[in-house]
Each structure stands twice: as structure tokens, then as C-alpha cells.
Amino acid sequence: MGILSSARSSVLVNGSPTFEFQCGKGMRQGDPISPFLFIVTMEALSYIFDKACEARVMDDIRLPNYGPLLSHLLYADDAIILGEWSRGNVENVVRILRSFYVCSGLRINLALLAKWGWRFKTEKENLWVKVISAIHTGGSKWDFFPVKKTTGGGWQNIISVINKPGAENLPIRNFFKGVIGKGEDISFWLDPWLTDQPLKMCYPNLFQLEVVKNCSVKNRLERQGLWLWRSDPNTEEDLSEMGNLRNKLLDISLSNRSNSWRWLGTDLGLSLLVPLRN
């Protein structure tokens, strides 16, 4: 506040300065001084962690050979919390973060996890994406984000967050939409690209008849109407879905550009890139 309100100015009238008066200003997001203020605020969080470790409320990591004690690492707006892996320790960390939110207005934005879902769709060649796909793809549940509940782990927690209702009472997954180029790495049935929902949800009967459920858009559009069915669509519901789907596909064509993903939340002012919010 001293930096924002300590300046004093005067006005030259006919070459002579008038009396001095005090200047002040507010601050908003994007102000050049914002990073400095954030660092000052995070110093408070660092102090809270230090005091919690001193009081043995939080168990830090004790390095061997008289190394330093580590409870947290801060860099810019990123924070890594280190400690013993125990339920009591995790619960106390949650209490510390809740207290910090009450004091500062900064809290974790339930977006930090969702960003991994975005990266999963946009970083297909990264090793971690290939590992997740190999472990979780398949089984009896075909979905936009593959996950096997029996496997557990951090990926299951990420998908749980993405599937929870958020802005506009819609799950975060509803704000992903594929933009077709070559069509080779966007799933025809499992990814949302033709509509805001995956085609398996719009045309459930046809999806049940599909043999290759994880086929790409390119696989289906380049086959010129040749589909791989377990049995030919013959019920009234099957034929109705087929006619509707064919009509929607009439205006779709592949191109030489790469596929991409669009974040629909931009129109609502929602971002996946902000880990903390005020």
C-alpha cells in the first residue's frame, strides 16, 4: 500500500509549484506490480508452512546426511507441497490451504487438474499420453477420456474432476470440442467433434452396432459410407439414427491441416490456464 499511495505531486502555475498533494491508485489484474504483490502474498504461505512444521502439525521431508528440511517449493505462481504420505498430514495441509484462502482470497482452482485433460487431447505424441492410453484404453467402458477404475492412481482423480459439474452446471469435459483437419487422431464415436457431445451419446444404437468403437474420423469418412457393423441397422431406431447421422456428415470433409481442439469455455470467460483465482 505504501508503494501505491505514498507518491506526492504538485502543479506548476506560472512556473511556481503549488502545494503538494498525495496521489494514490488501485490495482487490478495485469498491473505491473501484481507479480510483486503475489510474491509478498506467497511469502505468507511459506511462513505458514514453516510454522506448521515447527509445531509438528505438518511433517516435512528430512533429507539424509544433514541435508535441508523440505516442506514446500515455490516458483512464480506454482507451489509444490512436500511431506510424509499420511492421511493426517494431507488433512492438515488442506486445513492450511483453507486458512490461507480465508486470509488472502486465493484458492486452488479445481482448472489445474482439468488442464491435464486438455494436454491429454493436444499432446498425443508425448510419452505420458501414450502410457495413459496404453493402460486405460479399452475394457467395457468406451469414453472421451479413457479410465479404468480398477487401475486407480492420479489419472482417475483427474478424470473425476473433469466429469464433475462446474461452470453453467456443466462438466468441464463438455467444453472440449475437436476441430477436424486430417481426422486421423480424433475418435469418430468417442470424441466431441460433430456436435458438442460424442456421437456415441447422440447415436447410442449405432454405437452398439459398431465393431471398431475407437475408429478415427478419418477411418469413417474415407471409407465412403462403408461401415463395420456387428449386424446391419434394421430397426426403426437404428435407421432413424443412421439417416440423421448421414445428413450431418454431408457437410464434413477432411483437409490437409492438422486436427486441433477448441476450448468452448472461452465464450463464457472460463480458462484452463489459471491455477489460482481471486
Side-chain angles (χ1 to χ4, degrees), residues 114-126 128-129 144-145 155 176-179 185-186 191 258-263 272-273:
K115 187 178 177 181
W116 286 102
W118 178 260
R119 293 183 63 186
F120 179 81
K121 288 299 182 181
T122 58
E123 301 178 4
K124 293 289 188 179
E125 296 304 313
N126 281 13
W128 75 270
V129 175
F144 175 34
F145 287 105
W155 182 245
F176 293 70
K177 189 171 185 180
V179 180
D185 56 3
I186 290 184
D191 290 337
S258 299
N259 301 313
S260 60
W261 284 89
R262 181 186 173 201
W263 171 245
L272 274 177
L273 305 179

Side-chain angles (χ1 to χ4, degrees), residues 37-49:
L37 180 63
F38 188 83
I39 291 174
V40 171
T41 305
M42 296 305 284
E43 280 291 325
L45 179 61
S46 179
Y47 181 77
I48 293 174
F49 279 132

Side-chain angles (χ1 to χ4, degrees), residues 7 20 30 32 45 61 72 81 89-90 94 98 100 118 122-123 166 171 201-202 220 229 244-245 253 271 274:
E20 291 187 344
L45 179 61
I61 293 179
H72 61 285
I81 302 172
N89 206 40
V90 172
V94 171
R98 187 179 297 118
F100 178 69
W118 178 260
T122 58
E123 301 178 4
M201 300 178 67
C202 301
R220 283 293 165 265
W229 305 121
N244 186 285
L245 178 57
S253 59
S271 173
V274 183

Side-chain angles (χ1 to χ4, degrees), residues 140-158:
S140 59
K141 183 176 174 59
W142 296 91
D143 207 350
F144 175 34
F145 287 105
V147 59
K148 289 182 179 177
K149 293 184 177 180
T150 54
T151 303
W155 182 245
Q156 182 176 332
N157 296 333
I158 290 172

